[in-house]
Amino acid sequence: MNGKRWRWLFPPLYGLCIYASIRLVNDVISDTRFWERHWSINAWEIATCFTVSYVYFFVLMWLLRKRLSTTRPASRELLEAAFYIELISTFTLMPLAAFTDDGCQWYDVVNLYLIPLLYWLLFYAFARGNAWVRKSYEQQLLIEQINNDRLQTELRFLKAQYHPHFLFNALNTVYFQMDDDVPQAKRTITSLSDLLRYQLYDRQQTVPVHREIQHLDAYIGLQRERMNAHLRLEVYFSDQLRDQPVYPLLLLPLVENAFKYAGGDYWIKIEALLENGQLVFKAANAKPPIATVVKDGGIGLENLRRRLALLYPGRHSLETDDQPNAYSVTLKIDV
């Protein structure tokens, strides 16, 4: 039953229960049988109860909507509801009792004030509890939505932090190529535009891992153009990594750091494997005799750790191994 139909059917049905209770109590006290009266009297009383029930219902619902936005104590709210119930009873049910049967007796007064009060207070308490539960649920949904929006904003911010350093390296490469090899500089710019297109316009939540690997491969190719010819570079990407979904740009900072801090024996090893349902990505590089201090922030590991914690909570590991002559990092993600 939908909400609108319930609002119109509930009051008369509830009013009929109240009327039956009042009549049964009155008949016990007065030793009468209301069904033995003329049918027109019963019909008049039932029709009046139906009409008055709508008055009770909509007044109490109005009061409920009004009080939901306040912090008034529940006891005061129930007293206010009781006041409105008794006020309606005074101007509707009491005149009805005065003009039917033998007039308004003492037991009529007690029953007409007490029984509707108990019924409608019970209804109000139930409706109030249901409204507060619904309001609490809606507030919880709103809080979750706010938290989700905040996390999405933070993810976009962390993702964007990779771009400046990447652009700096690429533009620096183009700058030096312009003096020696203009055609190669043009090809580098084309490669750079493809890389930026992936980073700026591919906004789906996850991408097939082979697209991420293609992006890394293009980035490594761009880095080869600017690196010293003595660099020993080993790259291996497993053919098993195809359509497994991953979040984009998680692997790029590890590759960037390998190129940025490579020195000493001047070698870099990069590999991506699929092991036991996990993407295993390893990046290692030789270190110069006097290692460069890696500052936190920017495209550092702290930002990557934070992004992984948001995207893969409990479904990833990131381990580093800092040796005197080499540095390596291993990232494992459930895919």
Side-chain angles (χ1 to χ4, degrees):
M1 184 181 295
N2 59 45
K4 291 184 178 179
R5 186 177 301 176
W6 175 85
R7 289 173 66 88
W8 292 105
L9 290 182
F10 173 78
L13 295 177
Y14 201 62
L16 185 62
C17 293
I18 298 174
Y19 172 74
S21 299
I22 294 174
R23 288 302 340 163
L24 289 174
V25 172
N26 275 5
D27 287 355
V28 170
I29 295 175
S30 61
D31 195 24
T32 58
R33 303 290 183 272
F34 75 92
W35 56 85
E36 295 178 354
R37 299 184 303 171
H38 193 273
W39 68 269
S40 61
I41 299 177
N42 289 333
W44 170 250
E45 288 182 348
I46 292 173
T48 303
C49 284
F50 281 0
T51 304
V52 174
S53 294
Y54 282 110
V55 178
Y56 284 117
F57 179 80
F58 286 107
V59 168
L60 292 179
M61 293 304 292
W62 165 80
L63 179 63
L64 179 62
R65 289 191 298 269
K66 182 180 178 182
R67 293 298 171 234
L68 276 176
S69 58
T70 65
T71 57
R72 178 172 295 190
S75 57
R76 292 187 59 184
E77 190 175 336
L78 289 176
L79 285 175
E80 187 174 1
F83 170 77
Y84 282 105
I85 293 170
E86 300 296 41
L87 190 65
I88 296 171
S89 299
T90 299
F91 289 98
T92 56
L93 300 184
M94 287 302 174
L96 176 66
F99 292 101
T100 57
D101 290 343
D102 55 350
C104 190
Q105 304 297 319
W106 67 268
Y107 48 83
D108 290 317
V109 175
V110 173
N111 290 337
L112 290 177
Y113 274 126
L114 182 61
I115 294 177
L117 176 66
L118 295 177
Y119 269 92
W120 285 109
L121 277 183
L122 177 63
F123 162 78
Y124 185 81
F126 178 81
R128 183 182 185 276
N130 185 59
W132 277 105
V133 169
R134 185 169 60 252
K135 183 178 180 181
S136 176
Y137 176 72
E138 291 173 352
Q139 289 177 340
Q140 184 63 32
L141 287 179
L142 180 60
I143 292 173
E144 291 180 0
Q145 182 62 42
I146 292 173
N147 287 335
N148 183 64
D149 291 343
R150 179 182 61 81
L151 291 178
Q152 291 300 321
T153 300
E154 184 175 357
L155 283 172
R156 286 193 293 268
F157 172 73
L158 292 172
K159 183 178 176 181
Q161 283 184 305
Y162 302 143
H163 298 173
H165 183 259
F166 167 76
L167 279 174
F168 174 80
N169 285 340
L171 292 175
N172 195 43
T173 300
V174 174
Y175 175 80
F176 287 105
Q177 286 178 338
M178 291 297 292
D179 292 332
D180 301 326
D181 191 346
V182 173
Q184 182 60 39
K186 291 181 178 179
R187 288 192 293 270
T188 301
I189 292 175
T190 301
S191 299
L192 175 60
S193 66
D194 292 338
L195 291 171
L196 289 177
R197 187 176 297 110
Y198 177 82
Q199 294 192 27
L200 296 178
Y201 299 111
D202 289 347
R203 290 295 184 178
Q204 63 266 43
Q205 284 193 330
T206 60
V207 297
V209 69
H210 72 85
R211 289 193 61 194
E212 184 74 358
I213 290 175
Q214 288 174 356
H215 176 260
L216 289 179
D217 204 26
Y219 175 81
I220 292 171
L222 189 63
Q223 289 289 56
R224 279 196 180 103
E225 297 296 330
R226 75 177 191 90
M227 300 302 290
N228 190 300
H230 298 299
L231 173 67
R232 289 181 290 127
L233 179 62
E234 297 180 18
V235 179
Y236 172 73
F237 296 133
S238 173
D239 293 336
Q240 292 180 310
L241 295 171
R242 298 300 304 165
D243 297 323
Q244 296 87 352
V246 295
Y247 287 93
L249 303 178
L250 289 175
L251 310 179
L252 179 62
L254 303 180
V255 177
E256 282 185 322
N257 283 343
F259 279 100
K260 180 179 179 181
Y261 297 109
D265 293 335
Y266 213 48
W267 57 263
I268 296 176
K269 295 180 181 179
I270 299 170
E271 64 176 342
L273 309 169
L274 183 65
E275 295 180 355
N276 300 321
Q278 287 187 317
L279 166 62
V280 180
F281 187 83
K282 300 179 181 179
N285 61 273
K287 291 169 55 178
I290 302 177
T292 304
V293 178
V294 181
K295 297 181 179 180
D296 291 336
I299 59 170
L301 290 180
E302 289 304 315
N303 284 347
L304 178 59
R305 291 184 192 278
R306 178 56 180 159
R307 191 165 180 234
L308 287 168
L310 294 172
L311 296 174
Y312 294 97
R315 297 186 294 123
H316 76 279
S317 66
L318 181 63
E319 300 177 354
T320 61
D321 185 14
D322 192 359
Q323 299 294 329
N325 298 318
Y327 180 86
S328 65
V329 58
T330 302
L331 172 62
K332 297 181 180 180
I333 300 174
D334 294 342
V335 293

